[in-house]
Amino acid sequence: MGYNEKSSLSERIYIGKRRWKAFLYGLAFDACRIFPVDPKKVVMWTFECGGGYGCSPKYVAEEILRQNREGITDYKIFWLMNDMAKEFPKEIIKIKNTFWHRVYHLSTAGIWVSNSRTFYGTKKRKRQRYIQTWHATICIKPIGKYRGNLLPKMAYIVSRYDSSLIDYVLSGSKWCDDMYRDGLIYDGRIIKTGTPRCDVLINQKEEKHRQMREEYQIPQEANILLYAPTFRGGSQSGKRSVDAEETSIDFRRLIESLEKRFGGSWYIFLRLHPQLAANMGGLHTEQAWERLIDVSQRPDMNEIIAGSDAFLTDYSSAIFEAAMAGLPGFLYADDLEEYVKDRGDLMFDMEKLPFSCALNNEELIRNILEFDRDKYEKDVEVFMEMVGNKEDGKASRRVVKLMERGRKRR
């Protein structure tokens, strides 16, 4: 287990350029040491600044804002982003992700909170703390060293560098405690706070159920299946790109099977991975239809999960979070062999997960029609016990307490 140590001349040149740029980038951080660190200043970002107000940083921010309003804390939140048009609470200061903005605000913040890596060459000061929430919990697809020789050397270098800056990685299960060592290439502190973005799945299901239907103008009694395929861009082979994301799912038959098995009327919410959504208008499908609603531009997937009634993906870790919310989960992996060849061996045998796995439309329809809720719930319970799941809806509060303890010690 490691990374691809073999590299072509072009890759070695590329790595050399990246290292030189990182060195120059670091000099800018050195220059900003003339500015003091503000222990009350928190800088957040998601998906290399391409995401919006979502994932775990959002729920940490929500808890900070709540405690600020009650006079318990007095933090100032700054959010780095590429697209300044994205909507945020008025209390959060939006920062355009330019070179000097990023360097200055990271250099002067007492706390960083992110769900993705920093930029290669970033430097952290002694009085600063970096909290990594990561954007996946229990996962199907391999990350970090679990990709073996399919992990590019540059990805290994960037991951190792970023992990050397991290003070705390948050975890919500025993499985993640163990996986993050090689998955994130990290040997620092792992804190069992739970995963902040999972709080909404436990605490706000009724609220989000109502909100999703009101905002997308569908009947309150309607059912929603969220279809969220995982990230395809940036593969090792480079043959797939973000503008090639397509699906072979027959959505009309899918809805017919859902209505036959579960009753009621069903809608399908389509959501791309945030790294794809930032570059595309939506999922490519010729099946334009009022029952298909593209929610790819919505920044927070977990609130959509909380408001949904079933979940469908190929390899996204979000299916485990959907199961935590009590949703029936289904896998549709029509490119399984290609995906494993490109990404590496999966973290679990798909046949041993509590979710049925289909390789084509016929299998998917059959899996839905034959869905046994009692068996599914028992299988999910056994699986969650096996991985040591500890999510209880209180993770965000624990993270703010962690921030407060660290601030008082410094």
Side-chain angles (χ1 to χ4, degrees), residues 139-143 230-231 273 315-316 339 343 345-347:
C139 54
I140 295 175
K141 63 183 182 182
I143 63 172
T230 194
F231 182 59
H273 188 283
Y315 315 101
S316 173
Y339 190 81
R343 183 81 191 185
D345 291 337
L346 303 181
M347 303 297 283

Side-chain angles (χ1 to χ4, degrees), residues 49 112 133 246 279 284 295 302 334 396:
C49 303
W112 306 346
T133 71
E246 298 179 358
N279 294 279
H284 290 178
V295 296
N302 277 49
D334 61 337
S396 300

Side-chain angles (χ1 to χ4, degrees), residues 306-317:
S308 297
D309 302 280
F311 187 86
L312 173 65
T313 188
D314 42 18
Y315 315 101
S316 173
S317 64

Side-chain angles (χ1 to χ4, degrees), residues 229-255:
T230 194
F231 182 59
R232 285 296 196 284
S235 68
Q236 175 69 9
S237 67
K239 294 179 181 178
R240 305 187 74 160
S241 61
V242 295
D243 60 358
E245 187 74 12
E246 298 179 358
T247 180
S248 62
I249 291 176
D250 186 331
F251 290 114
R252 290 185 182 273
R253 289 186 65 197
L254 175 57
I255 284 182

Side-chain angles (χ1 to χ4, degrees), residues 277-330:
N279 294 279
M280 298 173 60
L283 189 70
H284 290 178
T285 173
E286 296 179 357
Q287 303 173 60
W289 183 24
E290 68 275 6
R291 295 283 196 94
L292 301 180
I293 300 174
D294 196 315
V295 296
S296 296
Q297 297 304 316
R298 195 177 192 96
D300 181 26
M301 182 163 73
N302 277 49
E303 67 174 354
I304 310 174
I305 294 174
S308 297
D309 302 280
F311 187 86
L312 173 65
T313 188
D314 42 18
Y315 315 101
S316 173
S317 64
I319 194 167
F320 298 106
E321 295 172 32
M324 293 175 199
L327 276 60
F330 302 95

Side-chain angles (χ1 to χ4, degrees), residues 23 25-34 103 107 123:
F23 171 74
Y25 189 43
L27 293 180
F29 277 90
D30 291 337
C32 282
R33 289 179 179 271
I34 63 172
V103 172
S107 294
K123 290 187 177 181

Side-chain angles (χ1 to χ4, degrees), residues 160-263:
R160 186 181 61 183
Y161 182 89
D162 178 75
S163 289
S164 71
L165 303 177
I166 296 170
D167 292 281
Y168 312 118
V169 167
L170 309 183
S171 173
S173 69
K174 177 63 168 63
W175 190 88
C176 287
D177 294 347
D178 298 333
M179 183 276 289
Y180 282 151
R181 295 299 180 196
D182 285 330
L184 297 184
I185 313 175
Y186 175 70
D187 59 5
R189 293 188 64 186
I190 295 174
I191 310 296
K192 301 173 178 60
T193 57
T195 309
R197 72 171 176 275
C198 290
D199 291 351
V200 66
L201 306 175
I202 298 169
N203 303 328
Q204 301 181 55
K205 287 184 62 178
E206 290 186 10
E207 175 188 337
K208 296 303 177 182
H209 185 281
R210 181 175 60 256
Q211 179 186 347
M212 292 303 111
R213 285 152 184 79
E214 287 178 354
E215 290 191 17
Y216 293 99
Q217 300 180 346
I218 63 177
Q220 283 293 323
E221 67 275 11
N223 299 290
I224 296 170
L225 176 137
L226 174 58
Y227 172 49
T230 194
F231 182 59
R232 285 296 196 284
S235 68
Q236 175 69 9
S237 67
K239 294 179 181 178
R240 305 187 74 160
S241 61
V242 295
D243 60 358
E245 187 74 12
E246 298 179 358
T247 180
S248 62
I249 291 176
D250 186 331
F251 290 114
R252 290 185 182 273
R253 289 186 65 197
L254 175 57
I255 284 182
E256 289 172 0
S257 66
L258 289 166
E259 293 182 344
K260 184 174 181 180
R261 169 60 185 83
F262 298 104

